Amino acid sequence: MNGAFYVQSIFQLPFLGLTKTVVRLARKYGRYGYRRITALLRSEGWHVNHKRVERIWRREGLKVPAKQPKQGRLWLNDGSCIRLRPSWPNHVWAYDFVQARTHDGRPFRMLTVIDEFSRECLAIQVSRRLRSDDVLQVLANLMVHHGAPDHIRSDNGPEFTAKVVRAWLARVKVQTLYIEPGSPWENGFNESFNGKLRDELLNGEIFYTLKEAKVLIEQWRNHYNTIRPHSALGYKPPAPEATRHHRVDLFSALDGLRTDQRFRKTVSSLN
């Protein structure tokens, strides 16, 4: 009897280890379901399918909480409507603003920029205020490292429709796609990303300072790009390796805007 119990215990050891790992990952990533946890297990070397993880998930009473407690369409600029879908990296970028607050109640803004095809988050710029000049600085910096996209999608916010922004995008041959006013679902890729940002980070953190917010948000962005399994990508992360596209000559790309002294100062600071 004791021998049979010993043999049974030996065979249960790997299962117990798997269970502990599932519970650990579920606690660490509280907004992930069992399919995303399965992808993380595989990245750690476990040879397991989602059905087995689901059985453990149910047996251990795990679930995605409804709410976590906090812790310490498409329009061209000529007015024509199209249904453009991204088909390659740098085909369509999208950007939008998200707002949150630090613990003292003061608001801050985040400019999120994503590649709609790869789903990679290219940048999250965090500041108390973000204006059209800040949008230009973020885009210029990204185009140095990734090259210019064919199109960029946004809503009709003043920071995106400002003359200086539209003129600059035209000069670097990036076509703007403005969604219909009051239809955020038409910027679906970015809206989805912003929802994940809020659900997985902003709703679960207390930011005591702006600096702390910048650090934690950038940390989450890196995790999203390199580790977090994405269901639309077969539960693989958008950018598992730190790859960079070809560089471009920034000053050639920005030719014609050098008369803008503020923009010249911005570009100089990037080199």
Side-chain angles (χ1 to χ4, degrees), residues 140-168:
N141 193 33
L142 289 176
M143 291 183 194
V144 169
H145 294 286
H146 299 272
D150 298 326
H151 307 267
I152 190 162
R153 195 189 321 272
S154 73
D155 60 28
N156 292 270
E159 300 87 354
F160 305 136
T161 59
K163 289 183 179 180
V164 65
V165 174
R166 289 187 296 174
W168 181 77

Side-chain angles (χ1 to χ4, degrees), residues 182-197:
S183 304
W185 57 87
E186 294 179 353
N187 194 6
F189 290 101
N190 206 288
E191 286 295 318
S192 176
F193 172 81
N194 291 345
K196 293 178 177 67
L197 170 60

Side-chain angles (χ1 to χ4, degrees), residues 8 13 19 27 34 59 92 128 145 180 229:
Q8 184 180 16
L13 285 176
T19 299
R27 288 175 177 172
Y34 70 89
R59 191 188 70 243
V92 183
R128 293 292 181 187
H145 294 286
E180 185 177 8

Side-chain angles (χ1 to χ4, degrees), residues 121-132:
C121 176
L122 304 175
I124 304 179
Q125 181 73 18
V126 181
S127 184
R128 293 292 181 187
R129 294 182 179 182
L130 289 168
R131 297 173 176 154
S132 56

Side-chain angles (χ1 to χ4, degrees), residues 2 4 35 63 107 141 176 220:
N2 290 337
R35 290 181 182 273
K63 62 180 181 178
N141 193 33
T176 54
W220 182 86

Side-chain angles (χ1 to χ4, degrees), residues 72 205-218:
E205 290 286 347
I206 296 173
F207 303 113
Y208 290 99
T209 66
L210 184 64
K211 183 177 182 179
E212 181 183 26
K214 289 180 177 181
V215 171
L216 292 176
I217 290 168
E218 180 62 16

